[in-house]
Amino acid sequence: MMDHLANTEINSQRIAAVENCFGASGQPLALPGRVLLGEGILTKECRKKPKPRIFFLFNDILVYGSIVINKRKYNSQHIIPLEDVTLEMLPDTLQMKNRWMIKTSKKSFVVSAASLTERKEWISHLEECIKHLLTKTGRQPCTEHAAPWIPDKATDICMRCTQTKFSTLTRRHHCRKCGFVVCADCSRQRFLMPRLSPKPLRVCNLCYRQLLADKKKEAEADRRQTEPIRSAVQGYEPSSGDDSDKSDDEKAEQWPADTEFYTSEVSWSSFHS
């Protein structure tokens, strides 16, 4: 079906309509071979509270954004390559039903559908697209995923020290490594995680120590790998181009007087005749 729709006029019109809904704030979505397979509204569990979001499933990407005017205007466009997506089923809660997690290396979040049937359809189409894309590109499924942020209302106290109570004056923060809700004292450190951002990100004290330990192990492993190379060249000093830094007199004292450097009976002048 995807190959059949790839170059059709109806597919081009549908993609153009999505681009128009996002306006100038959105990125162009039309690419050769890209197919729009479906769309729908899912509830995304955000930091403050669950919010409805519009989702568009293409054969290679998942696009979602905020709803300004339904079917007419969207903003805050996000584009997720399906090669990077892993799905995880989640149990229902009192507040949210028909839930599952969309996990990627840069961001992971929980969504829920309006019905069980709708969830099955979304997951079925997503899994089919991901499988088809990985087979086509020869890539392996992603194994490293960003931790989802735990919603603010999930806890009234810091999830690390379990002492600090949050209030209007005491802000909640999120560790970018584990996603826990933590206080300022428990998340004063920053750590560079290139997979998530080019800038150092806030992490809790526990994750900071773990990240430092992992970094130290990696450095030690690299050192052990390069040690055989260093040992092989130990004692070798590259020539500067001079025979030696010592004077000619010092050189003469190093060699016995009767040493024969040239065993040939040909005289020196013969080399220039």
Side-chain angles (χ1 to χ4, degrees):
M1 181 184 68
M2 287 185 281
D3 294 335
H4 175 70
L5 292 173
N7 300 311
T8 62
E9 182 64 24
I10 186 65
N11 180 63
S12 299
Q13 292 175 357
R14 288 173 178 173
I15 295 178
V18 176
E19 289 181 334
N20 291 334
C21 288
F22 278 104
S25 63
Q27 298 183 36
L29 298 173
L31 283 179
R34 177 169 289 169
V35 179
L36 176 60
L37 299 175
E39 64 180 85
I41 296 176
L42 298 173
T43 301
K44 179 176 178 288
E45 294 187 10
C46 302
R47 175 179 178 177
K48 298 293 184 182
K49 63 179 182 179
K51 298 178 181 178
R53 293 286 186 261
I54 184 69
F55 281 80
F56 298 94
L57 176 61
F58 295 80
N59 60 331
D60 62 336
I61 58 174
L62 180 66
V63 178
Y64 72 93
S66 301
I67 302 171
V68 180
I69 303 175
N70 192 25
K71 295 187 177 181
R72 292 182 58 188
K73 187 175 182 181
Y74 310 120
N75 61 17
S76 301
Q77 185 192 72
H78 297 267
I79 300 177
I80 303 174
L82 290 181
E83 292 176 327
D84 196 31
V85 171
T86 302
L87 306 178
E88 180 182 343
M89 300 290 287
L90 297 175
D92 292 345
T93 65
L94 293 176
Q95 295 78 22
M96 305 287 292
K97 298 184 183 300
N98 310 312
R99 304 163 67 233
W100 76 95
M101 186 184 299
I102 298 174
K103 301 191 293 185
T104 77
S105 60
K106 294 184 178 295
K107 185 176 183 179
S108 300
F109 54 93
V110 177
V111 294
S112 62
S115 67
L116 183 61
T117 300
E118 186 177 336
R119 181 178 73 168
K120 288 180 178 179
E121 291 179 351
W122 267 104
I123 291 178
S124 175
H125 289 306
L126 278 165
E127 289 179 339
E128 182 181 354
C129 289
I130 294 169
K131 181 180 179 181
H132 182 271
L133 195 59
L134 290 176
T135 302
K136 183 179 179 180
T137 60
R139 288 185 52 180
Q140 295 297 316
C142 183
T143 56
E144 293 188 32
H145 306 107
W149 284 18
I150 295 177
D152 286 0
K153 291 185 178 181
T155 179
D156 292 327
I157 61 173
C158 172
M159 298 178 71
R160 284 304 182 200
C161 68
T162 66
Q163 300 295 322
T164 302
K165 292 186 177 181
F166 298 119
S167 64
T168 305
L169 299 178
T170 305
R171 290 185 56 200
R172 291 171 167 85
H173 299 279
H174 279 82
C175 171
R176 269 57 170 184
K177 181 67 171 63
C178 65
F180 277 24
V181 183
V182 291
C183 64
D185 287 340
C186 288
S187 59
R188 295 191 181 279
Q189 304 294 342
R190 301 289 189 277
F191 199 89
L192 180 61
M193 293 180 282
R195 181 167 51 86
L196 301 181
S197 171
K199 298 180 180 180
L201 300 175
R202 179 189 292 269
V203 293
C204 68
N205 296 341
L206 177 61
C207 286
Y208 181 71
R209 291 193 294 269
Q210 292 176 339
L211 288 166
L212 280 181
D214 292 342
K215 185 177 181 180
K216 185 177 180 181
K217 289 180 181 178
E218 290 176 3
E220 182 65 20
D222 291 340
R223 187 190 66 79
R224 285 197 294 265
Q225 288 180 353
T226 57
E227 191 64 31
I229 300 176
R230 293 176 181 174
S231 300
V233 297
Q234 188 173 7
Y236 170 75
E237 296 182 1
S239 171
S240 63
D242 297 328
D243 290 341
S244 174
D245 293 332
K246 296 182 179 181
S247 66
D248 291 340
D249 292 340
E250 291 174 322
K251 294 178 186 177
E253 293 176 359
Q254 292 179 0
W255 301 97
D258 57 350
T259 301
E260 294 184 6
F261 290 96
Y262 302 99
T263 58
S264 173
E265 295 179 356
V266 179
S267 65
W268 173 259
S269 60
S270 297
F271 288 95
H272 301 276
S273 59

